[in-house]
Amino acid sequence: EELHERYEAALKDVRAKLGLTHSMIIDGKDVQAQETFEDRSPIDTELVLGVFQKGNQTHAEAAIAAARKAFPDWSRRPWTERVELLRKVSDRIDERIYEIAAVISLEVGKNRMEALGDIAEVSALIRYACDQVEENNGFIVKMGQDPLKGYTAINTSVLRPYGVWLVISP
């Protein structure tokens, strides 16, 4: 019963904020585009979920530049610190699970249990990845010895942040 009460309360809060205009966030700043678009709910197309910026190539390039600017700091952080930060992200997701699930329900038409399950899975997947990195010492692994007689090879495999990627999701 508490699950349904908390979901309904979150749904009420989310519905009160529908139709607002949202900025893009690039390099920590709110960014407006020349064009916007309305996102409508598939369960009720009269329901405007929000008005969003229609980013263009210039916005994508600015986002990539900001990420590249942040990358050196992120990549130099010890893996233990990166894991700690990702666990905090997972905790925030857990704190906001009902709110995020209500948004998903309105945005894609999922029922509350599927939406709650999706968000719980995101949080669990982040924690699983953190657990794997910890269990494998940041994926710093000594490799096997060279099988050829007369040769000595000492190799170590080190998993490191690779770089910046741009993903344009639907």
Side-chain angles (χ1 to χ4, degrees):
E1 187 175 320
E2 179 186 349
L3 177 144
H4 297 294
E5 289 171 359
R6 292 179 72 182
Y7 176 87
E8 288 296 330
L11 185 59
K12 182 179 178 184
D13 289 344
V14 167
R15 282 184 178 276
K17 298 174 188 169
L18 293 180
L20 298 177
T21 298
H22 302 276
S23 301
M24 293 181 283
I25 301 173
I26 300 176
D27 200 15
K29 299 175 187 83
D30 287 339
V31 176
Q32 308 298 316
Q34 289 182 333
E35 295 181 61
T36 59
F37 65 94
E38 288 183 346
D39 186 17
R40 293 178 177 269
S41 176
I43 58 177
D44 178 358
T45 57
E46 296 296 314
L47 193 59
V48 177
L49 301 174
V51 178
F52 297 89
Q53 306 304 306
K54 189 173 184 181
N56 58 30
Q57 182 175 340
T58 302
H59 295 113
E61 289 169 354
I64 291 169
R68 283 188 175 136
K69 184 174 78 175
F71 179 73
D73 177 61
W74 178 255
S75 66
R76 282 193 286 268
R77 290 174 187 258
W79 66 263
T80 51
E81 189 176 332
R82 293 194 304 263
V83 164
E84 181 182 339
L85 288 169
L86 286 168
R87 288 193 188 284
K88 287 179 182 178
V89 168
S90 192
D91 290 344
R92 282 291 285 145
I93 291 169
D94 288 346
E95 290 168 12
R96 297 180 61 196
I97 189 168
Y98 292 98
E99 173 192 356
I100 299 169
V103 169
I104 287 177
S105 293
L106 292 173
E107 185 177 27
V108 297
K110 287 194 173 206
N111 68 48
R112 68 185 65 198
M113 297 309 289
E114 287 178 349
L116 286 164
D118 282 355
I119 299 308
E121 186 176 24
V122 167
S123 181
L125 186 58
I126 292 169
R127 283 193 180 92
Y128 173 77
C130 291
D131 291 345
Q132 290 301 300
V133 171
E134 285 177 335
E135 287 174 23
N136 291 283
N137 190 33
F139 286 100
I140 301 169
V141 179
K142 289 191 178 196
M143 305 297 285
Q145 295 296 320
D146 196 313
L148 298 174
K149 290 184 181 181
Y151 292 92
T152 303
I154 301 171
N155 296 306
T156 304
S157 173
V158 179
L159 182 66
R160 292 191 178 125
Y162 183 73
V164 174
W165 298 80
L166 173 67
V167 177
I168 300 174
S169 63

